[in-house]
Amino acid sequence: MTAIVTRRSLLIGSGSLLLAGCDKLTTAPQTLDVLSLGEKASRSAQRWLVADRQALAPEFTRAEMSPVFRVNGSTNPRDAGYVAHAANGFADWRLLIDGLVATPMALTLPQLRAAPSRTQITRHDCVEGWSAIGQWTGVPLGLLLRRAGLSSNARYIVFHCADTLLGKPYYESIDLVDAFHPQTILAHSMNGAPLSIGHGAPLRLRVERQLGYKQAKYVMRIEAVASLAPLHGGKGGFWEDNHNYQWYAGI
Ligand SMILES: Nc1nc2c(c(=O)[nH]1)N[C@H]1C(S)=C(S)[C@@H](COP(=O)(O)O)O[C@H]1N2
Ligand SMILES: [Mo]
């Protein structure tokens, strides 16, 4: 009983915990009575949570854009593959989309620039205690995933980056609610110009409902997976694996 109450109070904070919690609750027969008692409340909480996850992050006007948007984390990757791509203007660079998809893809930068795009002026919040408002233009991730044809067993989208920090590859991951959120884009431009190396050239993720460390820069490969456990440290991201940051960094 106590365990169930604890789990239920956890449900309020996070959509992914909600799903994990529901799986466990429904498979444990001794919890069924409690479930039916709380079912009505739980359903409306669930509806509220889903609606909350789909809400848009605030967008700003051009006048509100920060005069300086600092760079953070990797700002000039020295990793051999990346250096070579940067040296020839990313002409041979390809974005790979693979994993649990019907049609793996390899997209050039011109193809991504020519694809339908969304432009948004949003606030970036870093856990280190700074924020900046900038304008991002890029391809909605959901559009690419629909084209690739996500398999029904795909649960997470993983972003493999070109850089390493302290010898470990940077990567990040999000669930499908965020992947198909309308403001989740693969940005090739910032403030009306091609993305600079400092800000993640040639392509970076903007997942506007989450904190700065989820905004993967230098994205090389997008992989659809059923579980995050087999990847790197198993917690779904560089900071999650190495510094115990939360996987779901919702704001
Ligand atoms: N590949 C990669 N992505 C990354 C990082 C990084 O070091 N490598 N740092 C993260 C952190 S902590 C922040 S705050 C933002 C910084 O983005 P900016 O350099 O455009 O300000 O990128 C995030 N994405
Ligand atoms: Mo950050």
Side-chain angles (χ1 to χ4, degrees):
M1 187 68 188
T2 316
I4 294 161
V5 170
T6 306
R7 196 173 283 284
R8 282 190 167 267
S9 59
L10 276 175
L11 300 188
I12 304 307
S14 152
S16 55
L17 274 177
L18 175 80
L19 297 178
C22 282
D23 281 352
K24 295 221 174 68
L25 281 170
T26 49
T27 51
Q30 69 274 21
T31 66
L32 286 176
D33 284 344
V34 180
L35 244 190
S36 58
L37 279 175
E39 192 174 30
K40 217 173 156 192
S42 165
R43 285 230 180 108
S44 67
Q46 189 172 344
R47 231 175 268 128
W48 177 82
L49 277 171
V50 171
D52 182 62
R53 291 283 315 277
Q54 288 166 343
L56 295 181
E59 294 195 17
F60 300 83
T61 64
R62 294 189 66 86
E64 291 170 297
M65 283 165 56
S66 304
V68 176
F69 195 123
R70 56 172 285 191
V71 293
N72 203 35
S74 294
T75 56
N76 188 17
R78 296 285 89 201
D79 306 86
Y82 185 82
V83 170
H85 282 305
N88 75 347
F90 302 102
D92 299 328
W93 175 94
R94 299 287 183 275
L95 172 68
L96 300 182
I97 303 180
D98 63 6
L100 299 173
V101 297
T103 313
M105 302 195 288
L107 301 168
T108 67
L109 202 46
Q111 283 176 318
L112 289 163
R113 289 207 175 109
S117 71
R118 188 181 203 280
T119 294
Q120 58 206 25
I121 301 177
T122 53
R123 196 186 64 218
H124 175 107
D125 294 308
C126 173
V127 283
E128 290 165 24
W130 59 273
S131 299
I133 295 176
Q135 184 195 59
W136 305 97
T137 301
V139 191
L141 176 62
L143 186 134
L144 296 179
L145 295 177
R146 275 188 203 98
R147 283 196 193 162
L150 218 46
S151 307
S152 58
N153 53 337
R155 288 286 172 276
Y156 304 97
I157 304 300
V158 181
F159 304 87
H160 297 281
C161 305
D163 59 317
T164 47
L165 271 184
L166 304 168
K168 296 192 170 150
Y170 203 98
Y171 79 106
E172 258 304 339
S173 61
I174 59 177
D175 67 12
L176 298 186
V177 177
D178 270 325
F180 287 95
H181 187 284
Q183 288 168 320
T184 299
I185 64 174
L186 291 165
H188 49 69
S189 301
M190 178 192 188
N191 298 350
L195 205 55
S196 65
I197 286 183
H199 288 294
L203 197 74
R204 65 117 32 106
L205 174 68
R206 292 303 309 173
V207 49
E208 302 292 357
R209 298 292 310 280
Q210 296 211 42
L211 288 169
Y213 61 90
K214 302 295 288 190
Q215 322 295 326
K217 306 196 279 190
Y218 318 111
V219 175
M220 300 290 289
R221 175 178 170 221
I222 293 177
E223 184 189 12
V225 299
S227 163
L228 299 172
L231 294 159
H232 302 289
K235 293 182 183 165
F238 171 86
W239 290 102
E240 291 87 331
D241 285 346
N242 299 299
H243 298 273
N244 269 324
Y245 281 25
Q246 294 286 312
W247 175 76
Y248 184 70
I251 45 176

